[in-house]
């Protein structure tokens, strides 16, 4: 293909026009080739500026292209079906950024529509053209949104399939491990070990297979649909039976209400267990004579009797409403022992979750600017205030200073207050002790061209705390504290602190006791707040042997054991949920006895000695924060 040159002939054109004008001027009565305005435009070097609408449309187009590029990368990551090449942290962050992009682009399109209506109230030719451009942009953005949804569905299916494969594989290995070891000492028959899952990842069991274990995983995937279907049918059968029992016992309750005097006599003898049982026996015989006359009810009772015998759970230990318990901070203020965590909470569900928690008796709500859901938390608080569920002074609100604002703490606090719709928060925490580039390419997760976090590495975490101390004087936060601080970082900070942190919020559960930090904070009067008390979604903390053993002993759920663990440790705990039933259940805990506490402590100490503690939340900042298990 040949080449050609393009020359600028503007000056030549101007000379031709000037000669023509001179000839035209010599002929009286003839019209000028160019009027004054046109001549000025021809002689001007300035380029015509695009309209404000065109510039806005071009910006949105570039934004859609950039979001598509991010979506393509997310699709590549989401389609990975193997447990051994997963990147949950990168997927979570990329998902979050794309959500923010879609929201921003939608807002820009709405603004562009408003601009077009103002410029062209009566739809002229240019207005019609603008309308077509807006429809095109909306269509492109709609395609991006649809593709984003498809990618998330693929990711969800892969996670579910992976979890099912893992559970089936672990179960299979557990059943045949003994026989396999007898057959051979080869590593091919070894039980797979569990790796450390990543934060926010549902598929959190990682296997390190050898030989043909990977082939076994692929074969087990074929049976997962049958397993899920059978499990769903079993759950439906149980729910049906429970509903049936509820109807029967409702009728029984109506009959028992007629025997109020008898019930009162039985209750009066509760101090003497023997007499209580004997009295109950006599009254039940009388009651039986009445029930036996109702043949239908009798038949139903005998029909469900086998279920009652074999499936009725043990009576749980005494339940305590943890939402009413408080601890004292070094500021003199009371902090609730239980709070609602909102990390990774779907924004559209967080508002209702906050309202449900406050109705259930929660009086502490924990959020953060980085979570991207502060405004929904604020909407939930406003609804609770408007409905009279609680007053502002009854709720302990906690939020956090994100790493892109640690050099300008007052700006970060103002942003959070605006999102929450509040005049003040009760506690403001340093989210992580570092500074990310405040002028980087993203407000929350700025990155360098090579993909690493864009950090300002010579900024001291001590200076971050000095910035925080200035906020107390403003009255916009009642107390300040830190989050994710190790003992080493606290030892560096305290000699320079005018105000001792009121709180250190850390990941804490039996598989990550962090006893060194907990003991140090108690010594210095710093209260511990425990996040991720279950490890993380789907993590093995809930299936740890001592946790299950204690749950069976008291007839409760493992999650209840893990939350009760913090009650006796004197820490505030932050379970995260958007399910109203779980939110209410999480508020009802038990007092663990000395045997339970020893069992959990021995388990934690064993993990520490063997170097097997598991930390589920540790973003890839590339910074040594001084934690022994991550140094």
């Amino acid at each position: 293909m040949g080449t050609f040159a393009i020359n600028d002939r503007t000056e030549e054109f101007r000379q031709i026009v000037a000669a023509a004008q001179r000839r035209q001027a010599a002929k009286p009565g003839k019209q000028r080739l160019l009027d004054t305005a046109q001549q000025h435009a021809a002689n001007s070097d300035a380029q015509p500026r695009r309209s404000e609408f065109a510039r806005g449309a071009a910006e949105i187009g570039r934004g859609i292209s950039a979001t598509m590029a991010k979506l393509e990368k997310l699709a590549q990551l989401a389609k990975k079906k193997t447990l051994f090449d997963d990147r949950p942290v990168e997927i979570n962050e990329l998902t979050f950024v794309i959500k923010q992009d879609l929201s921003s682009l939608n807002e820009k399109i709405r603004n562009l529509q408003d601009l077009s209506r103002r410029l062209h109230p009566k739809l002229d030719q240019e207005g019609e053209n603008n309308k077509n451009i807006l429809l095109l942009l909306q269509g492109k953005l709609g395609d991006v949104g649809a593709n984003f949804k498809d990618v998330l569905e693929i990711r969800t299916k892969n996670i579910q399939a992976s979890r099912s494969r893992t559970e089936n594989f672990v179960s299979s290995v557990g059943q045949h491990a003994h026989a396999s070891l007898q057959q051979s000492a080869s590593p091919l028959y070894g039980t797979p070990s569990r790796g450390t899952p990543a934060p926010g990842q549902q598929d959190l069991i990682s296997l390190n297979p050898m030989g043909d274990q990977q082939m076994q995983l692929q074969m087990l995937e074929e049976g997962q649909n049958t397993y899920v279907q059978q499990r769903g049918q079993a759950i439906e059968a149980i729910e049906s039976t429970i509903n049936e029992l509820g109807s029967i016992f409702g009728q029984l309750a109506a009959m028992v209400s007629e025997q109020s005097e008898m019930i009162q006599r039985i209750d009066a003898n509760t101090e003497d267990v023997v007499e209580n049982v004997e009295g109950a026996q006599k009254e039940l015989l009388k009651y039986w004579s009445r029930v036996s006359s109702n043949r239908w009810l009798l038949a139903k009772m005998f029909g469900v009797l086998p279920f009652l015998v074999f499936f009725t759970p043990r009576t749980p230990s005494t339940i305590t409403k943890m939402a009413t318990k408080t601890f004292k901070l070094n500021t003199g203020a009371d902090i609730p022992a239980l709070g609602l965590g909102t990390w990774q909470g779907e924004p559209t569900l967080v508002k209702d979750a906050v309202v449900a928690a406050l109705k259930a008796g929660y009086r502490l709500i924990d959020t953060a600017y980085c979570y991207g859901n502060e405004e929904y938390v604020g909407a939930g608080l406003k609804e609770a205030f408007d409905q009279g569920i609680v007053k502002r002074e009854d709720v302990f609100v906690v939020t956090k200073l994100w790493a892109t604002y640690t050099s300008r703490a007052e700006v970060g606090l103002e942003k959070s207050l605006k999102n929450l719709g509040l005049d003040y928060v009760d506690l403001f925490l340093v989210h992580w002790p570092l500074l990310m580039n405040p002028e980087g390419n993203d407000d929350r997760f700025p990155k360098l061209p090579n993909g690493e976090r864009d950090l300002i590495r010579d900024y001291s975490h001590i200076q971050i705390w000095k910035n925080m101390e200035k906020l107390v004087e403003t009255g916009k936060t009642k107390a300040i504290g830190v989050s994710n601080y190790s003992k080493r970082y606290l030892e560096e900070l305290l000699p320079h602190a005018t105000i001792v942190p009121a709180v250190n919020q850390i990941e804490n559960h039996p598989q990550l006791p962090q006893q060194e930090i907990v003991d140090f904070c108690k010594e210095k009067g710093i209260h511990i707040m425990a996040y991720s008390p279950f490890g993380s979604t789907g993590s093995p903390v809930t299936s740890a042997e001592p946790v299950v053993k204690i749950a069976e002993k008291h007839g409760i759920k493992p999650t209840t054991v893990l939350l009760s663990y913090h009650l006796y440790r004197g820490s505030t705990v932050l379970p995260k949920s958007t399910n109203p039933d779980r939110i209410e259940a999480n508020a009802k805990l038990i007092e663990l006895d000395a045997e339970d506490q020893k069992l959990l402590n021995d388990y934690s100490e064993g993990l520490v000695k063997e170097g097997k503690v598991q930390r589920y939340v540790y973003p890839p900042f590339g910074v040594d924060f001084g934690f022994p298990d991550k140094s």
Side-chain angles (χ1 to χ4, degrees), residues 591-606:
E591 296 279 356
L592 298 178
D593 58 35
E595 180 184 359
D596 301 331
Q597 296 172 21
K598 184 178 186 305
L599 196 61
L600 290 171
N601 290 339
D602 290 347
Y603 171 71
S604 297
E605 290 174 5

Side-chain angles (χ1 to χ4, degrees), residues 307-324:
F307 179 86
L308 293 174
V309 171
F310 292 105
F311 297 103
T312 300
R314 297 181 55 181
T315 302
S317 301
T318 304
I319 298 292
T320 181
K321 193 84 170 180
M322 192 174 181
T324 61

Side-chain angles (χ1 to χ4, degrees), residues 449-622:
N450 63 3
E452 295 179 358
R453 300 292 175 88
D454 190 358
L455 306 181
I456 309 298
R457 295 186 179 273
D458 58 353
Y459 198 84
S460 169
H461 72 92
I462 296 172
Q463 182 58 50
I464 296 174
W465 185 249
K466 290 299 180 183
N467 300 338
M468 291 285 287
E469 289 180 331
K470 297 175 185 177
L471 300 178
V472 178
E473 301 173 359
T474 67
K476 294 180 180 180
T477 180
K478 302 297 183 183
I480 55 176
V482 296
S483 180
N484 301 299
Y485 261 64
S486 65
K487 180 184 176 184
R488 190 185 87 193
Y489 266 55
L490 286 171
E491 286 175 333
E492 293 173 359
L493 173 64
L494 291 180
H496 303 279
T498 303
I499 300 175
V500 175
V503 162
N504 183 16
Q505 187 179 123
I506 58 174
E507 180 182 348
N508 201 219
H509 45 77
Q511 289 187 349
L512 188 68
Q514 302 207 77
Q515 199 62 45
E516 181 184 49
I517 303 170
V518 172
D519 292 341
F520 182 81
C521 286
K522 287 184 177 179
E523 177 188 339
K524 301 299 181 182
I526 302 172
H527 184 64
I528 293 291
M529 293 180 75
Y531 70 76
S532 295
F534 309 137
S536 190
T537 305
S539 73
V541 181
T542 53
S543 59
E545 183 179 352
V547 175
V548 174
K549 184 176 181 179
I550 295 171
E552 292 175 348
K553 170 184 171 181
H554 295 285
I556 57 177
K557 295 181 179 179
T559 52
T560 304
V561 175
L562 290 170
L563 294 177
S564 302
Y565 167 79
H566 298 280
L567 189 63
Y568 88 84
R569 284 166 67 88
S571 303
T572 293
V573 62
L574 303 170
K576 170 258 172 180
S577 180
T578 54
N579 183 299
D581 292 334
R582 270 198 295 271
I583 288 172
E584 185 172 359
N586 286 343
K588 299 173 182 178
L589 309 181
I590 69 167
E591 296 279 356
L592 298 178
D593 58 35
E595 180 184 359
D596 301 331
Q597 296 172 21
K598 184 178 186 305
L599 196 61
L600 290 171
N601 290 339
D602 290 347
Y603 171 71
S604 297
E605 290 174 5
L607 293 177
V608 173
K609 290 178 181 177
E610 296 172 10
K612 294 182 179 180
V613 295
Q614 296 194 41
R615 184 182 297 272
Y616 296 97
V617 181
Y618 200 78
F621 291 118

